[in-house]
């Protein structure tokens, strides 16, 4: 801690079990999907739907989220890179001279899937729910969308916590001492080792954060907006509003209302927070005015507003 509102963020990679490392980002996804399954179980019970259909919903949602989020990042944010590295779209590896995959495949390193875009996930979940509603649930698409957005909103909270633990999707530099100093974003593992002369990356990061001898290196790390926490905190309220409306009011009878409200609330939050978020790339340089994330959020907000208005005009349509 350097100032009252200025924290140095130097997290561990995960929970080390000795024989296996549980990475925080992966753990947040497990929690998100686990909680989502529990919430949908309660909803299915209330709606007298067979719980046998819940397992299929879980599988479809997991696959749609991961595949859509990955493809969304590839095509919306980094196509210029991936168009020349197609194999990296589907495999969690990256071409890297001097590295070796699993110790014997030269020129490649394991990275995990580092690029996931929520806009891509939103599109793919809607597509997956269309097929799920037709083939398995045998109900109108809007019925499942009105309900699945509740666990999706709760899951968004944990995904952003995972981003924070990974020191990714960070904000712009702040103009004061307020903010978070993301050590791992500013210094790669290789940079931390090189600058400190300490062979172990974990120890190198700790030295930069705590050892006065490396105060000059720490001073290089700017305070930034913790945009992951801003979004995550706001998503708690998005989830709470949807949860309350479903369980305590007749909103679930207004076909399309909860789905539309989810789109408006979540993507308005995304649009606002994007204003202090570091550029993630994409097509913003061509269009200007807004970031890529903001441009992508606008259609979702408009679609959400359409469903809200439609639900009020014809509340039982397609129920």
């Amino acid at each position: 801690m350097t100032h009252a509102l200025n924290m140095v963020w130097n997290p561990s990679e995960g929970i080390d079990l000795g024989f296996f490392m549980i990475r925080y980002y992966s753990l947040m996804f497990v929690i998100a999907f686990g909680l989502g399954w529990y919430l949908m179980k309660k909803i299915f019970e209330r709606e007298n739907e067979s719980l046998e259909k819940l397992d299929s919903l879980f599988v479809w949602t997991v696959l749609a989220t991961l595949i859509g989020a990955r493809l969304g990042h590839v095509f919306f944010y980094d196509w210029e890179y991936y168009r020349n590295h197609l194999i990296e779209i589907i495999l969690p590896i990256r071409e890297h001279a001097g590295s070796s995959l699993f110790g014997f495949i030269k020129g490649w390193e394991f990275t995990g899937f580092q690029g996931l875009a929520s806009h891509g996930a939103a599109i793919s979940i809607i597509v997956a729910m269309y097929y799920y509603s037709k083939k398995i649930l045998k109900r109108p698409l809007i019925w499942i969308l009105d309900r699945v957005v509740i666990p999706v909103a709760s899951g968004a909270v944990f995904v952003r916590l995972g981003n924070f633990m990974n020191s990714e999707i960070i904000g712009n530099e702040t103009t004061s001492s307020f903010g978070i100093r993301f050590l791992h974003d500013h210094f790669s593992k290789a940079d931390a080792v090189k600058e400190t002369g300490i062979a172990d990356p974990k120890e190198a990061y700790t030295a930069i954060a705590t050892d006065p001898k490396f105060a000059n290196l720490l001073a290089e790390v700017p305070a930034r907006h913790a945009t992951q926490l801003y979004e995550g905190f706001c998503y708690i309220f998005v989830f709470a509003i949807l949860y309350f409306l479903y369980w305590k009011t007749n909103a679930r009878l207004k076909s399309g209302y909860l789905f539309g409200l989810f789109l408006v609330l979540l993507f308005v939050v995304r649009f606002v927070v994007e204003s202090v978020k570091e550029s993630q790339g994409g097509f913003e340089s061509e269009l200007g005015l807004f970031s890529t994330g903001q441009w992508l959020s606008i259609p979702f907000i408009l679609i959400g507003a359409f469903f809200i208005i439609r639900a009020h005009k014809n509340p039982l349509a397609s129920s």
Side-chain angles (χ1 to χ4, degrees), residues 244-293:
F244 174 81
L245 290 174
Y246 175 80
W247 287 100
K248 302 298 183 181
T249 74
N250 67 345
R252 69 189 179 94
L253 302 177
K254 300 177 181 179
S255 183
Y257 178 70
L258 292 176
F259 173 63
L261 187 61
F262 164 82
L263 292 181
V264 170
L265 292 177
L266 188 131
F267 286 104
V268 163
V269 168
R270 181 69 187 271
F271 187 91
V272 173
V273 175
E274 281 283 335
S275 64
V276 293
K277 186 182 294 184
E278 189 177 55
S279 173
Q280 302 296 305
F283 48 77
E284 57 195 49
S285 58
E286 286 78 22
L287 296 181
L289 187 61
F290 298 131
S291 71
T292 300

Side-chain angles (χ1 to χ4, degrees), residues 42-56:
K42 294 298 183 183
I43 291 172
F44 269 41
E45 289 174 343
R46 182 186 192 186
E47 305 283 357
N48 295 316
E49 272 296 338
S50 170
L51 293 183
E52 293 180 0
K53 298 177 181 179
L54 186 59
D55 291 337
S56 297

Side-chain angles (χ1 to χ4, degrees), residues 7-296:
M7 183 178 77
V8 176
W9 186 234
N10 178 34
S12 63
E13 293 185 46
I15 302 172
D16 192 350
L17 301 179
F19 60 92
F20 183 72
M21 172 77 76
I22 302 177
R23 299 187 182 277
Y24 290 121
Y25 192 59
S26 300
L27 180 61
M28 290 301 106
F29 263 93
V30 171
I31 293 173
F33 286 123
L35 178 59
W37 181 90
Y38 174 79
L39 291 170
M40 283 307 296
K41 177 176 180 289
K42 294 298 183 183
I43 291 172
F44 269 41
E45 289 174 343
R46 182 186 192 186
E47 305 283 357
N48 295 316
E49 272 296 338
S50 170
L51 293 183
E52 293 180 0
K53 298 177 181 179
L54 186 59
D55 291 337
S56 297
L57 175 62
F58 179 79
V59 172
W60 284 59
T61 305
V62 170
L63 292 176
T65 300
L66 298 179
I67 294 173
R70 179 60 174 171
L71 294 180
H73 172 77
V74 169
F75 293 112
F76 294 152
Y77 290 95
D78 210 5
W79 177 239
E80 282 303 309
Y81 173 82
Y82 285 103
R83 63 196 292 265
N84 298 313
H85 301 82
L86 297 179
I87 191 66
E88 295 178 26
I89 297 176
I90 57 175
L91 296 179
I93 59 176
R94 181 172 286 259
E95 192 171 4
H96 188 279
S99 296
S100 61
L101 184 63
F102 306 127
F104 60 88
I105 303 178
K106 301 296 183 181
W108 296 88
E109 63 175 342
F110 178 82
T111 60
F113 290 119
Q114 296 181 319
L116 298 173
S118 59
H119 297 93
I123 294 171
S124 62
I125 288 174
I126 293 172
V127 172
M129 291 306 99
Y130 171 78
Y131 285 100
Y132 173 78
S133 65
K134 297 295 183 184
K135 302 294 185 181
I136 299 173
L137 192 61
K138 308 299 183 183
R139 281 184 182 260
L141 170 63
I142 201 64
W143 186 93
I144 188 62
L145 290 178
D146 273 336
R147 287 150 181 82
V148 79
V149 293
I150 299 173
V152 168
S154 71
V157 177
F158 293 99
V159 171
R160 283 299 177 246
L161 286 177
N163 295 141
F164 181 68
M165 297 304 297
N166 267 9
S167 300
E168 60 189 7
I169 314 182
I170 61 176
N172 296 327
E173 294 183 25
T174 63
T175 55
S176 66
S177 61
F178 170 82
I180 304 291
R181 302 170 79 176
F182 293 96
L183 203 60
H184 293 214
D185 173 75
H186 192 79
F187 294 108
S188 67
K189 289 182 180 180
D191 289 337
V193 169
K194 178 182 178 182
E195 295 292 340
T196 62
I198 300 173
D200 183 82
K202 182 178 179 180
E203 294 179 6
Y205 281 127
T206 300
I208 295 174
T210 61
D211 192 336
K213 183 170 64 175
F214 300 109
N216 61 316
L217 295 178
L218 183 59
E220 295 179 16
V221 185
R224 294 181 177 275
H225 289 284
T227 48
Q228 318 95 323
L229 297 185
Y230 298 171
E231 279 191 58
F233 181 74
C234 291
Y235 292 161
I236 292 174
F237 289 96
V238 175
F239 164 71
I241 291 169
L242 295 172
Y243 186 89
F244 174 81
L245 290 174
Y246 175 80
W247 287 100
K248 302 298 183 181
T249 74
N250 67 345
R252 69 189 179 94
L253 302 177
K254 300 177 181 179
S255 183
Y257 178 70
L258 292 176
F259 173 63
L261 187 61
F262 164 82
L263 292 181
V264 170
L265 292 177
L266 188 131
F267 286 104
V268 163
V269 168
R270 181 69 187 271
F271 187 91
V272 173
V273 175
E274 281 283 335
S275 64
V276 293
K277 186 182 294 184
E278 189 177 55
S279 173
Q280 302 296 305
F283 48 77
E284 57 195 49
S285 58
E286 286 78 22
L287 296 181
L289 187 61
F290 298 131
S291 71
T292 300
Q294 287 176 313
W295 280 115
L296 291 172

Side-chain angles (χ1 to χ4, degrees), residues 291-309:
S291 71
T292 300
Q294 287 176 313
W295 280 115
L296 291 172
S297 295
I298 292 173
F300 287 100
I301 295 170
L302 295 177
I303 292 170
F306 165 79
F307 276 100
I308 291 174
I309 295 170

